[in-house]
Amino acid sequence: MTHEEEPLARPREGGLERRVAGGLAFLRRRLTGDYEVDDFGYDEELTDQVLMSLLRPVYEKYFRVEVKGIENIPSKGGALIVANHSGTLPLDGLMMQVAVHDHHPAGRHLRLLAADLVFVLPVVNELARKLGHTLACAEDAERLLAQGELVGVMPEGFKGIGKPFSERYKLQRFGRGGFVSTALRHGAPIVPCSVVGAEEIYPMIGNAKTLARLLGFPYFPITPTFPWLGPLGAVPLPTKWTIQFGEPIPTDGYPPEAAEDPMLMFNLTDQVREQIQHTLYKLLVQRRSVFF
């Protein structure tokens, strides 16, 4: 090695040493319990250093997610991100989390509201809590918004994620507008989000309803590969995704009693739904291929 090469090697060695030292310090904190979680079980350090690192290759290499409109998410304060839901398994919510975590200039974290089923499944329950997910109820959503958090909700619920492949990209009913009422109470902007690509990862061509009832699931999907190929059939197809965050809809101009106005809630819910649906159609027209 020449003298000219030596100075170039030191920064690399120093960087490696710092990473090793940081990794050892992280392990020590985990082993000694010297780390913090919030009232919902959210573990920010574990999410940043481990869980996002596991999700990121799926996001970047497998689904090759393209993000648009990330600047529409406020840099601070509470906001409600409302998205379509699809894909048979809820991978779309996880990919939204990575999109916000990795691309938002203020380094914000998205806290997802999840269905009851998530919190009764072993292992899944613990991981969801660590990632910052909480129960899809008005009380938890309001507490998070009051703390200035970004809250993600998918109002279609199981109706969206478990719909047949023939109804792909057709938004299901958005419930009774509970998310709008929550946003109005806190004057939080509503950011519509449209996800294209998730519908095709598990094309659901059938639903074994009897088996679903026996297992306590809302549906039991039958796809071209599952259950015919066993565990291999559970591997999602490598579709190309686009996630677009739309312009926020402000709610801070309404009076306090607006949260109890059913007509206003209906109109705002319909406005959010129509904006998401319109963007979905627009993205589908622009898409060259499901896989590329």
Side-chain angles (χ1 to χ4, degrees):
M1 181 180 293
T2 66
H3 292 294
E4 288 79 7
E5 291 173 326
E6 287 178 0
L8 297 176
R10 286 172 188 149
R12 288 198 292 267
E13 291 169 2
L16 177 60
E17 288 173 1
R18 283 194 297 273
R19 287 196 295 271
V20 170
L24 291 174
F26 171 77
L27 289 174
R28 183 171 60 251
R29 288 193 296 274
R30 308 313 295 187
L31 293 172
T32 59
D34 184 21
Y35 57 90
E36 295 182 358
V37 297
D38 71 6
D39 294 341
F40 299 95
Y42 174 47
D43 190 330
E44 184 174 345
E45 182 184 53
L46 184 70
T47 296
D48 288 345
Q49 299 198 27
V50 178
L51 300 179
M52 283 294 158
S53 297
L54 295 174
L55 291 171
R56 195 168 288 118
V58 180
Y59 174 94
E60 293 180 348
K61 306 299 183 183
Y62 199 77
F63 293 135
R64 294 147 292 142
V65 181
E66 179 183 2
V67 181
K68 298 181 178 181
I70 194 75
E71 69 279 359
N72 288 319
I73 298 175
S75 296
K76 59 182 179 179
L80 196 65
I81 296 179
V82 181
N84 59 305
H85 205 14
S86 64
T88 306
L89 290 180
L91 298 181
D92 49 1
L94 296 176
M95 296 301 102
M96 280 173 56
Q97 276 194 285
V98 180
V100 174
H101 182 277
D102 284 6
H103 295 282
H104 196 277
R108 302 206 67 179
H109 295 78
L110 179 62
R111 308 290 294 272
L112 290 174
L113 302 181
D116 300 19
L117 181 61
V118 170
F119 301 105
V120 299
L121 296 174
V123 182
V124 173
N125 168 37
E126 280 296 314
L127 288 174
R129 289 289 184 189
K130 296 293 186 185
L131 272 164
H133 303 179
T134 190
L135 196 62
C137 64
E139 292 79 8
D140 283 4
E142 288 186 15
R143 284 180 62 194
L144 287 169
L145 287 175
Q147 294 171 12
E149 299 280 2
L150 282 182
V151 180
V153 61
M154 295 170 162
E156 292 175 281
F158 290 124
K159 299 188 300 295
I161 196 173
K163 65 178 178 287
F165 189 63
S166 59
E167 296 181 21
R168 60 193 179 278
Y169 298 113
K170 295 177 183 177
L171 290 184
Q172 305 299 298
R173 186 169 172 268
F174 264 26
R176 299 178 181 178
F179 69 91
V180 170
S181 177
T182 300
L184 285 168
R185 285 193 178 91
H186 292 272
I190 300 172
V191 181
C193 176
S194 302
V195 182
V196 164
E199 293 276 16
E200 295 90 359
I201 60 173
Y202 296 111
M204 188 168 159
I205 57 175
N207 179 11
K209 295 181 180 179
T210 302
L211 186 56
R213 282 196 297 270
L214 289 172
L215 295 172
F217 295 159
Y219 55 88
F220 189 88
I222 297 173
T223 76
T225 58
F226 183 83
W228 326 114
L229 299 182
L232 186 62
V235 177
L237 295 176
T239 57
K240 174 76 171 63
W241 288 33
T242 301
I243 298 177
Q244 179 158 338
F245 298 97
E247 292 187 8
I249 299 170
T251 66
D252 55 353
Y254 294 96
E257 62 271 16
E260 309 302 328
D261 183 342
M263 186 55 67
L264 175 61
M265 283 193 291
F266 174 82
N267 289 336
L268 281 175
T269 300
D270 194 53
Q271 180 183 350
V272 174
R273 187 179 181 278
E274 286 301 313
Q275 190 166 332
I276 294 172
Q277 185 69 81
H278 176 75
T279 303
L280 285 174
Y281 288 147
K282 183 179 177 181
L283 292 173
L284 288 170
V285 169
Q286 295 171 349
R287 181 167 70 168
R288 293 180 302 169
S289 163
V290 172
F291 298 101
F292 304 102

